[in-house]
Amino acid sequence: MTERGGRLRRWWFPAAIAVAVVVRLALLPFWTVDQRDYLIPWMQHAEASGWGYLKRTVTDYPPFYDHVLAFLSLFPGTAMVRIKLFSILFDILLAGLLSSMVPAGKRRLAFALFLLMPTVILNSSAWGQCDAIYATVVMLSLWCVRQRRPVAAMVAFGFAVSIKLQAAIFGPVLLLMTLERRQPIWTHALAPIPYVLIALPMLLAGRDPHQTFFVYAGQFGKNAQLAAVSPNPWIVLNKLLDYHTGVLIGLPVAVAIILAAVWWLWRQRVAESDGGLLLAAAFLVALVPFVTPKMHERFFYLVDPLLILLACRDWRYIRVLALAEAASLISYIPFMLVSTDPEGPIVQSYIYLQQRYGGGYGVLAVPGAILMGSALYLLFRRLRDGAGDVPAPGVTPAMALR
């Protein structure tokens, strides 16, 4: 090895971590409409309520996030910085969990790669969203599945769903494990327990049970769109079908497609190997938000960590990771620009599209849908060819990008 190559091997990881930290700190002052209208008022409510938050709902999120905001209200600093730093903490925890799930020689790579993903950075440091929190618990559930700990896997999954409903996207993976007889069917009864335990202090304080347990039902009816800048086909169907017809047709069709995919994966016996399990999981968590209506731009968050696990086993998956990341990033950018540059050319194009065609900036997610569909096809092709557990040790990063 040359001296230059030796220096690169010594310094690439500290340099990557430094970049990840500096970019996150630089984005802390960034604000969005969501922060102005929701997150900051919620934090102010939590600060003013004290222990009263147990009785009076602080957010339109499930009880877990009320606990989080009450906890964060104990610390100094601006509301937005506290919220963002808490999410960044889970960026780090999730990166560490991913690094523990890859071969020993790839652990630093998995850690750095996740922290440098643009959508991961924007999600926590710019947007102040909590997707890293539920994703960390979902990946813990996957770790338990790989360790053949079905009870812990289901409890972790239930905990993740009690943080954010998007965690349910991982549900078909556990259904596949049930068909594989690695997840006993009775363990599914454990899934609601974490939500009930988290909500118990609120119920004891006198909060309305309906308000406590039907948060997700209320969220479902809020956004009357078949797709909200989501990189899936519904971004186009949104303009061809009215909302109620789309939901009435789309949800049953999506469920049928997902169940058919789970059945096909089970018949293929893909998940019997560790690599096959990761490949099947990546395919399913990408498929669910791709075929389901009413998805948002952040609902593909789980795809990235799973593709990183695959890429650290086989560099050929780097192409799939690049496609999926580009698809999500395209969907993120318009929303960010609406918040920071309302007079900019992209936002003005949105206004033009809205006035001329009624399409809005959601039209900009169409290229994202094509990219995400391409990523899904590549995963399907690998599954069809039975390549789930091929480590491909001779494939280099340069070869993977060809």
Side-chain angles (χ1 to χ4, degrees), residues 169-186:
I169 290 169
F170 187 72
V173 178
L174 294 177
L175 177 59
L176 176 61
M177 292 299 96
T178 301
L179 293 176
E180 293 282 354
R181 298 188 178 181
R182 291 175 58 176
Q183 187 72 46
I185 194 168
W186 65 265

Side-chain angles (χ1 to χ4, degrees), residues 16-39:
I17 299 306
V19 170
V21 170
V22 169
V23 172
R24 280 170 168 81
L25 292 177
L27 287 172
L28 287 181
F30 187 98
W31 70 275
T32 68
V33 174
D34 277 359
Q35 294 165 26
R36 182 195 66 197
D37 295 344
Y38 301 105
L39 297 179

Side-chain angles (χ1 to χ4, degrees), residues 169 172 175 220 226 232-234 237 245-263 283-284 286-295:
I169 290 169
L175 177 59
F220 183 84
L226 296 177
N232 70 16
W234 289 101
L237 295 172
T245 301
V247 171
L248 187 64
I249 296 173
L251 286 179
V253 169
V255 170
I257 292 172
I258 294 162
L259 291 177
V262 171
W263 180 263
F283 177 73
L284 287 172
L287 179 69
V288 172
F290 190 77
V291 300
T292 308
K294 293 184 65 65
M295 296 291 102

Side-chain angles (χ1 to χ4, degrees), residues 136-153:
T136 299
V137 187
V138 168
M139 289 299 107
L140 179 61
S141 178
L142 177 63
W143 182 88
C144 292
V145 168
R146 295 174 74 193
Q147 299 296 318
R148 297 185 180 272
R149 299 180 180 179
V151 172

Side-chain angles (χ1 to χ4, degrees), residues 1 3-14 105 108:
M1 180 183 298
E3 181 180 349
R4 183 178 179 181
R7 286 200 301 269
L8 180 62
R9 289 194 63 181
R10 285 195 301 271
W11 289 104
W12 77 265
F13 182 70
R108 293 195 301 173

